Each structure stands twice: as C-alpha cells, then as structure tokens.
Amino acid sequence: MPFNISKQTKRGVFALALGACLFAQAPTTASAANFKYTTQLPQKNFQVQNILAFSKCVAEKSDIKIDVYDSAQLYRDKEVPSAVSSGAVEFGMSTTERWAGTIPAMGIFSVPFALGGRDTVLKLLKPGADFRNLLEEAIIKTGVRPIYWMEYGTVVFLSKKDRPIRVPADLKNMKVRTFGKTYGDFVNSLGGAATIMSGSEQFVAYQRGIVDAGMTGVASFQSRKLDEVMNVITFTQHGHIYFPSVINEKVWRGLSDDQKSALKSCGDEAQASLHSQVEATEAEAIAYAKTKGADVIELSADDLEKWRVAGQTTVKEFASHSGELGQKLLELVEKAK
C-alpha cells in the first residue's frame, strides 16, 4: 500500500527544507564567531603583541574570538589587502605603502616631510579626525574596514661617521637603501642613488658596502643590531610608518552593534597603547645607539627647514597624481601643523 503524505505535511516538509537551505546560505551574523588575523611580523614584535592584546580585549567584551597568525603563516604583507577584501581571512595588517597602488592618496605617509612631525600625525589619525575619516572612506570601498591605525615609528637616515648625513646636499652621490618608490624618488632627486630593499636585507647591504647609507625606522637600529654596521642616526623624521588594522567589510556588516562596539573600543585602546609604546621603544633605541658609540644627530630648525624645502618636489608630485583626496589630505595636514 503506497504511503500518502497529506498536503499539510508536504507544506511542513517544504518549509523545513527551505529554512535549512536559507540557513546554509546565510552569511556570518551576530552570533559567536571565530576569526583569523594575519600578520607578517614575528610574534615577539611589539606590534604583534599589540594585536594579541587587542584580540584579548575583544574576547573579554564580546563573543568574538580572534586567532592571530604571525610570521606570514597565512599571507605576506603585500598579499594582505586582497586576502582580507576577498574574505580569505577576516582580519589583517599591511603597511600604508601596500594600499597606495589602489588608493594613491595613501602614499602620503611615504612622502618625505608631507605630514610634519609625529605630534601632527597623531592628531590626524585620532578617532573622528577628518584626515582619518577620509582615508577610511576610501579604504572601505576596497572591501575592508580599518579598525585602528598601528603606528610603527618614524623614519630616519643611517650613515657612517666618515660620511654623515646632516643636510640634503650630503646625499649627493650616495647609494642609499630605501623601502619604497616614493622614498627612492626623493633620494634620487637630491643626487643620490636609491636602492629599494627589505628591512631584513639592509644589515648585509651596509656590511658589504652595497649601499653607503639607508632609511629605516628608529627602533630597527636596535632590533636589527644595525649598530654593528652603521654609527650615525640623523633624526630627520621625514616619514611615518603605519599599518591599518583591517576587517573584511562583509564580515563587519554581519556583526551586531555590541560586537562592532567591542571592536571599536578595543581598537581605540590598542592604538593609544601603541603610541606610548612606540615613543618608549624609540627612546630606548636612541639610548642603545649612544651606548654603542653612535652619533645621534638632532637637527636644528634651520637644517630641518632645508630638508623640508628639499622635499617639496616630492610633495608636489604626490599632489599631482593623488587626485582630489590627496589635495584634501594635504590641506588638512597644513591645518593640523
């Protein structure tokens, strides 16, 4: 005898099947979630420790768990923007230079003397600041959303006592290590010869005389033991190294208001913590340099002005190719100085 299903039962079965289908297709929403965070930096790096503190804060304030994958276990720096925007990983960090190809105005961090001193940059990137908001609006259009801005430090020149760098003219005929095209253009415009290389390569380059001088973050002088191959630090502070800490935009939209609030507040705490930590780390590096017999050149107002004037060609070039957004950012910088 055939088994007959009533119309009511059929409707119930169909409803269950449809509901199961819709549930299977639903995106990540405001329920408890496990996310991944990718960084190319090693676990002992102070920025990775900051990310770990951020993830702990988020776990305490919400039902979100963030697992941190350091040392490029998942993606290298240049791969992070596309990996997060595609949803291959939920969180990541990458230097502002990596975003400049998509958003030319992001290159402002690498334009020598465009942003002024560190105090000015801190104002520009505080929560709610117009400068920060404009950049974040542009980044969101790429499919990711900045949660906070990770300061790594200021850029200085390294050289040797037999040929120290004090004023722009000192770069003439010098082979200089840089870590980005804009910095390289700056060196070349002053008669030097720029060589772009990663931070891990610079020690050997200095040691073997492949380059005569270099640019680096202040803290790297100690962490990479550059005192063994260079002995002059010139505090030009001509650039600022930052990493936007970002989340996939679709994931963000699927979060509850409470979850978003937790990420924002923990991000603000993490950013503020980094500012004080960078200051302490750079001070420690300078003290370390002096104990190793290195000369630390603190520039006079007149010498700093020479550097600023020398950088104007690069600033004008940035303004010409960074569009309306770049122009607005430069105007906000002038107001903040």
Side-chain angles (χ1 to χ4, degrees):
M1 181 176 178
F3 183 73
N4 293 319
I5 302 176
S6 68
K7 291 181 180 180
Q8 184 175 0
T9 302
K10 287 180 180 179
R11 285 196 296 269
V13 171
F14 177 76
L16 287 172
L18 178 62
C21 180
L22 290 173
F23 177 79
Q25 295 177 357
T28 303
T29 56
S31 57
N34 279 23
F35 295 141
K36 294 179 180 178
Y37 194 118
T38 181
T39 172
Q40 77 279 19
L41 297 173
Q43 188 178 37
K44 291 183 179 180
N45 184 279
F46 71 92
Q47 286 212 329
V48 178
Q49 292 303 306
N50 178 265
I51 296 168
L52 291 170
F54 165 73
S55 65
K56 180 180 179 182
C57 175
V58 171
E60 291 173 349
K61 293 187 176 184
S62 73
D63 52 4
I64 295 175
K65 182 176 184 295
I66 302 173
D67 294 316
V68 180
Y69 292 79
D70 57 72
S71 306
Q73 294 178 63
L74 299 182
Y75 300 98
R76 292 176 293 176
D77 179 64
K78 65 180 181 181
E79 299 170 330
V80 172
S82 60
V84 180
S85 65
S86 69
V89 65
E90 292 86 6
F91 285 89
M93 59 176 286
S94 188
T95 58
T96 54
E97 191 73 15
R98 295 300 184 191
W99 296 93
T102 305
I103 308 169
M106 282 286 282
I108 194 170
F109 291 88
S110 301
V111 180
F113 305 100
L115 292 178
R118 181 171 181 265
D119 289 344
T120 299
V121 182
L122 296 186
K123 291 179 187 177
L124 294 169
L125 289 177
K126 68 180 181 181
D130 291 341
F131 183 95
R132 172 172 171 168
N133 289 342
L134 286 173
L135 282 177
E136 293 191 352
E137 287 171 9
I139 295 173
I140 289 170
K141 292 177 182 177
T142 71
V144 307
R145 175 181 293 265
I147 298 298
Y148 68 106
W149 292 74
M150 306 178 70
E151 183 185 12
Y152 194 81
T154 49
V155 182
V156 296
F157 276 107
L158 300 183
S159 55
K160 296 181 179 179
K161 292 182 180 180
D162 60 350
R163 197 178 176 187
I165 295 173
R166 182 179 294 275
V167 294
D170 293 332
L171 288 178
K172 189 172 183 178
N173 299 322
M174 260 197 177
K175 294 176 290 184
V176 183
R177 176 261 170 174
T178 68
F179 52 94
K181 182 181 181 302
T182 306
Y183 287 133
D185 291 344
F186 174 61
V187 168
N188 294 335
S189 73
L190 296 177
T195 299
I196 298 175
M197 64 178 67
S198 68
S200 60
E201 296 175 307
Q202 61 179 320
F203 184 99
V204 173
Y206 300 143
Q207 184 182 52
R208 296 180 179 177
I210 296 172
V211 293
D212 306 307
M215 296 184 190
T216 191
V218 179
S220 293
F221 191 81
Q222 180 177 8
S223 64
R224 295 188 183 278
K225 298 183 178 180
L226 298 179
D227 59 280
E228 297 179 12
V229 287
M230 304 299 270
N231 51 25
V232 178
I233 300 175
T234 307
F235 238 71
T236 47
Q237 300 186 68
H238 56 279
H240 305 271
I241 306 172
Y242 270 86
F243 295 74
S245 181
V246 298
I247 182 175
N248 175 273
E249 177 65 7
K250 289 183 180 178
V251 170
W252 171 264
R253 292 179 183 177
L255 299 177
S256 69
D257 289 343
D258 287 342
Q259 289 171 323
K260 290 177 180 177
S261 177
L263 288 173
K264 285 181 178 178
S265 62
C266 290
D268 289 346
E269 289 179 23
Q271 181 167 323
S273 174
L274 266 179
H275 292 330
S276 58
Q277 191 169 0
V278 166
E279 187 173 357
T281 299
E282 292 192 344
E284 181 183 336
I286 292 300
Y288 170 84
K290 290 179 178 178
T291 64
K292 295 296 181 177
D295 290 342
V296 178
I297 299 176
E298 298 277 358
L299 298 176
S300 66
D302 287 343
D303 285 343
L304 276 174
E305 180 61 16
K306 291 176 184 177
W307 282 104
R308 191 195 68 77
V309 171
Q312 286 308 295
T313 299
T314 314
V315 174
K316 290 177 181 177
E317 186 177 341
F318 165 78
S320 69
H321 75 255
S322 58
E324 184 179 352
L325 177 57
Q327 294 284 353
K328 288 181 179 178
L329 295 178
L330 288 173
E331 290 171 6
L332 289 171
V333 170
E334 288 306 310
K335 291 179 180 179
K337 287 181 179 179

